[in-house]
Amino acid sequence: MCVKHRNLTWTLALLFLSGALCIEMKVKYQLGHICAVKGSSVVIPCSYDYPKEHKVKEVLWGHDKYNIYDGPFLFNSTMKNTTSRFQYIGDKEHNCSFLIHQVENNDKGKYAFRFITNKDKCTGIYGSTLKVVDLKVSLAKLSGSRSFKEGDSVNMTCTNSCDGGHRSSIFTWLKNGEPIHKGPVLYLSNISSTNNGNYTCSLKTQRATPSEVINIDVEYGPKNTSVSIVVDGSSYFKLICTSNANPPVENYTWFKIDENDQFNRGSDTSL
């Protein structure tokens, strides 16, 4: 019993020294859990309070992958770092809100605020936990085949899992980086080679949140087949066959009609 009591005493002493118990001081996180799309900017709202006779000297934000009491810290008001993605948008009075620009997957986890006054220090140990997700694109084709054929109809749906599947986000669809449509669903009917390109969706208000890329490369049979004549000197000429298709035509077959109206077959692109 004495050993347990002694250990408890030492633990409480360490907590008081680190400001973990925040006696007469407190940190409040308005959101315990926050979800953000990769590439977006997100705010962690926060407020703090302390006795009137205290004066705030230092404010810090930490992450649970480090020591939230001793750091290293993502933000420290005593350090000058204007290039960081992490920005303190609070003050040294009662607002401790924190902004993260261009959220990355490894930004997930718990964030905690710590402040130091002329009399004490306090860390809001409960923090706000950030979840980072990617926008997802689901694709449906009426033909059911894996490739894109001329005349197919394609349905692409953009989903933000932070919405819980309710599609409350407003999306922009882009083709080769250029906006072409607004809304969660992009429908392409009777597709042709003009629809070829890379398609992505992003949050309408934050273009730096692209989804995975859907590449559409429409396959179609030979079109505009033609024969041209190239004269080689005065005694020879060459016939060249060309055609537009996807995938490109690899083999051509030539037909010659003789005096008896019989077909003779040959191959290659020229004759």
Side-chain angles (χ1 to χ4, degrees):
M1 292 295 294
C2 293
V3 173
K4 289 183 178 180
H5 178 73
R6 183 178 299 172
N7 288 340
L8 178 61
T9 301
W10 275 107
T11 300
L12 289 173
L14 289 172
L15 290 173
F16 274 108
L17 288 173
S18 65
L21 294 182
C22 297
I23 303 302
E24 297 186 304
M25 305 166 74
K26 62 181 179 181
V27 177
K28 181 179 180 180
Y29 303 97
Q30 281 69 35
L31 298 173
H33 296 274
I34 300 173
C35 185
V37 175
K38 179 183 176 182
S40 67
S41 296
V42 63
V43 173
I44 302 176
C46 169
S47 60
Y48 63 114
D49 204 4
Y50 48 89
K52 293 182 178 179
E53 63 271 16
H54 287 233
K55 183 177 181 181
V56 177
K57 296 291 187 180
E58 188 175 350
V59 293
L60 312 98
W61 270 94
H63 192 281
D64 63 359
K65 61 186 174 184
Y66 306 116
N67 187 306
I68 62 174
Y69 302 112
D70 300 321
F73 294 96
L74 301 175
F75 175 83
N76 185 333
S77 60
T78 63
M79 305 290 289
K80 301 296 182 182
N81 187 354
T82 58
T83 61
S84 174
R85 292 187 298 111
F86 304 100
Q87 181 183 357
Y88 185 68
I89 57 174
D91 50 42
K92 289 187 177 180
E93 294 181 356
H94 299 289
N95 182 4
C96 51
S97 298
F98 193 52
L99 172 63
I100 306 174
H101 296 280
Q102 296 179 332
V103 172
E104 300 174 355
N105 287 328
N106 59 8
D107 290 332
K108 63 184 179 181
K110 186 175 76 173
Y111 289 78
F113 175 70
R114 178 174 173 82
F115 68 103
I116 300 172
T117 72
N118 56 334
K119 296 179 178 291
D120 206 347
K121 54 186 128 181
C122 174
T123 298
I125 61 174
Y126 296 105
S128 289
T129 300
L130 177 65
K131 176 183 178 181
V132 181
V133 302
D134 292 290
L135 294 180
K136 298 294 183 182
V137 176
S138 58
L139 186 147
K141 295 198 295 89
L142 296 181
S143 66
S145 64
R146 298 183 64 180
S147 59
F148 299 96
K149 305 290 186 181
E150 189 174 45
D152 281 349
S153 293
V154 180
N155 209 37
M156 291 182 280
T157 303
C158 192
T159 304
N160 176 4
S161 59
C162 287
D163 294 338
H166 300 298
R167 297 186 183 177
S168 59
S169 295
I170 301 177
F171 301 99
T172 294
W173 284 93
L174 303 99
K175 177 184 177 183
N176 299 328
E178 296 298 324
I180 58 171
H181 180 72
K182 295 177 183 178
V185 179
L186 176 63
Y187 180 68
L188 304 176
S189 62
N190 194 27
I191 61 175
S192 65
S193 59
T194 60
N195 297 113
N196 288 349
N198 293 320
Y199 292 80
T200 58
C201 66
S202 69
L203 296 177
K204 180 182 176 182
T205 55
Q206 302 193 57
R207 289 276 295 277
T209 57
S211 67
E212 59 187 310
V213 176
I214 301 296
N215 176 259
I216 291 183
D217 185 23
V218 180
E219 296 182 357
Y220 55 92
K223 295 180 179 181
N224 304 319
T225 302
S226 63
V227 175
S228 59
I229 301 175
V230 177
V231 178
D232 184 9
S234 58
S235 304
Y236 302 95
F237 65 91
K238 181 185 292 186
L239 300 178
I240 300 176
C241 188
T242 58
S243 187
N244 183 23
N246 185 27
V249 177
E250 294 183 357
N251 298 301
Y252 291 85
T253 300
W254 288 90
F255 296 89
K256 178 184 177 182
I257 304 176
D258 61 19
E259 295 176 352
N260 299 318
D261 292 334
Q262 297 294 317
F263 285 95
N264 295 313
R265 300 181 62 181
S267 62
D268 209 343
T269 59
S270 60
L271 186 65

